[in-house]
């Protein structure tokens, strides 16, 4: 009996390499989101007291989230730096470097002395490590996503969205892991959690780093980059790729605006929601359980949305997610304010697990398709990281300030969710569909509709 064409295709070296690249991307973004979400969770619980003592509790939380934002401020710089060398030298070497910097930065945070031990140097070192993490993560997503999509182009071109979801899945996977680990250590007596328990999730990031590096070292360079280099179409050595991208800034600006809704929802419904819900009477385990369940829901919704975008297009799927996020913004906060742990789980499952994941799933394929091979690393990374800066970096800080000034009302949070979703929806409405575009065009693409 002759083997089927599909089974033959699955056994080819290219298909095996694609699966390895997809696993590498998944592990890389899982490390990324584990590190950042562990920080956001612990910052909401204890960093205000440990690194910014003597302040009003609300002010301490704002300061802790300000440090959280510092990592996001550094992300666009990382996108530019690693994108520059990734477009010139290749994707793989940059992926290895970003993963090492991310994992080591998180591990060192777990070793930091607190304010009581070294005074003002404690928050200074914390901010420094956050910036190092931010620079590394700024280059991680672009390299991991491009490797998957560019490898998939050869054998799975019509399923780029589904394969790119492997890197997007790192977000909920990292959230599940971080929430699970923090849930375990937060069950310790308060004194033990504040003295050493909070360090454990950061120190464990070294295990994720080891596994990720083991897989990533076995990954081959992007075939599209290699072919572009052979044809002399990679970024020229005499001119930084960022200049070529910014010479026509439209795609980068649109890429940033497309992602703002997803990152605003992600940040507000994970890290910020922990401090908000605890302040409204929920216990830490109850809130962390809700975040874990919502992230588990996302593990199913995210690849489903990405696969759907391969069939109906990127635009309608992202637009549907943005509309759902805006429609659920006020109901989600009403469910959280109810005081019921069951309704809290439902709220985060709907807002984060379903609506946010629908927006976020196709993002990797969409942003990759907006740029040509010679500047794709720089362009996609810069657009993505600018979206994280605006959507995720500042929204917890703004939300904490607004909630404090409004007497604890969740209305400002709902308005921020609606605002982010509206930016995404309006931008996607103006884009043309990119699902069927070939990836080997050397120059940035024009993606506004009607242009």
């Amino acid at each position: 009996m002759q083997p089927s064409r599909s089974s033959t295709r699955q056994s080819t070296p290219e298909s095996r390499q694609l699966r390895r690249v997809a696993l590498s991307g998944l592990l890389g973004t899982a490390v990324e989101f584990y590190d950042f979400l562990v920080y956001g969770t612990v910052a909401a619980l204890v960093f205000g007291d440990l690194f910014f003592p003597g302040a009003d509790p609300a002010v301490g939380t704002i300061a802790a989230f300000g440090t959280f934002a510092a990592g996001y401020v550094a992300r666009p710089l990382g996108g530019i730096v690693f994108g520059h060398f990734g477009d010139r030298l290749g994707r793989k070497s940059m992926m290895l470097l970003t993963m090492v910097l991310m994992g080591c930065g998180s591990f060192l945070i777990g070793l930091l002395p607190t304010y009581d031990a070294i005074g003002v140097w404690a928050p200074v070192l914390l901010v420094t490590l956050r910036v190092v993490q931010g620079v590394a993560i700024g280059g991680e997503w672009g390299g991991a996503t491009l490797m998957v999509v560019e490898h998939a182009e050869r054998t799975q071109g019509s399923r780029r969205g589904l394969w790119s979801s492997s890197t997007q899945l790192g977000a909920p996977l990292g959230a599940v892991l971080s929430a699970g680990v923090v849930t375990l250590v937060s069950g310790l007596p308060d004194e033990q959690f504040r003295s050493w328990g909070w360090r454990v999730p950061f120190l464990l990031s070294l295990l994720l780093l080891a596994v990720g590096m083991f897989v990533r070292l076995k990954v081959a360079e992007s075939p599209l980059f290699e072919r572009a280099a052979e044809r002399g179409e990679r970024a020229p050595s005499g001119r930084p790729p960022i200049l070529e991208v910014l010479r026509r800034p439209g795609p980068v600006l649109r890429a940033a605006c497309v992602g703002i809704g997803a990152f605003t929802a992600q940040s507000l419904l994970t890290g910020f929601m922990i401090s908000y819900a605890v302040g409204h009477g929920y216990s830490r385990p109850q809130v962390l359980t809700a975040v874990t369940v919502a992230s588990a829901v996302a593990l199913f919704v995210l690849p489903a949305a990405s696969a759907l975008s391969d069939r109906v297009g990127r635009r309608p799927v992202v637009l549907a997610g943005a509309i759902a996020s805006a429609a659920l913004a006020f109901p989600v906060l009403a469910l959280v304010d109810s005081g019921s742990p069951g309704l809290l789980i439902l709220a985060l499952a709907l807002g984060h697990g379903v609506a946010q994941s629908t927006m976020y799933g196709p993002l990797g394929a969409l942003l990759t398709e907006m740029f040509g091979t010679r500047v794709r690393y720089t362009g996609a990374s810069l657009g993505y990281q600018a979206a994280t800066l605006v959507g995720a970096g500042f929204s917890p800080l703004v939300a904490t300030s607004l909630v404090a000034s409004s007497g604890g009302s969740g209305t400002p949070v709902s308005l921020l969710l609606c605002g982010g979703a509206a930016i995404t929806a309006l931008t996607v409405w103006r884009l043309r569909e990119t699902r069927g575009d070939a990836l080997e065009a050397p120059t940035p693409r024009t993606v506004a509709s009607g242009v």
Side-chain angles (χ1 to χ4, degrees), residues 251-269:
V252 171
L253 294 175
R254 286 186 283 270
C257 290
V258 165
I260 283 177
F263 288 114
T264 300
Q266 180 186 76
S267 187
L268 292 179
L269 297 178

Side-chain angles (χ1 to χ4, degrees), residues 199-223:
R199 300 180 184 275
V200 174
F202 293 101
L203 300 177
L204 287 177
S205 64
L206 209 60
L207 295 178
L208 283 176
L209 172 62
V211 175
M213 288 296 293
F214 176 78
V215 174
R216 194 158 279 190
L217 285 168
K218 297 177 179 294
V219 167
E221 180 58 87
S222 160

Side-chain angles (χ1 to χ4, degrees), residues 27 117 124 132 247 307 381:
L27 292 173
V124 169
V132 170
R247 198 171 53 170
S381 294

Side-chain angles (χ1 to χ4, degrees), residues 382-448:
L382 185 58
Y384 182 93
Q385 302 306 339
T388 66
L389 171 61
V390 177
F394 292 118
S395 55
L397 182 63
V398 173
T400 302
S401 302
L402 292 176
V403 168
S405 64
S406 65
S409 170
T411 300
V413 183
S414 298
L415 291 174
L416 286 173
L417 287 170
C418 287
I423 293 172
T424 292
L426 291 173
T427 306
V428 170
W429 184 262
R430 288 291 300 160
L431 295 182
R432 69 168 178 80
E433 185 55 58
T434 60
R435 174 180 51 132
D437 287 1
L439 291 183
E440 296 200 64
T443 56
R445 303 151 191 273
T446 301
V447 293

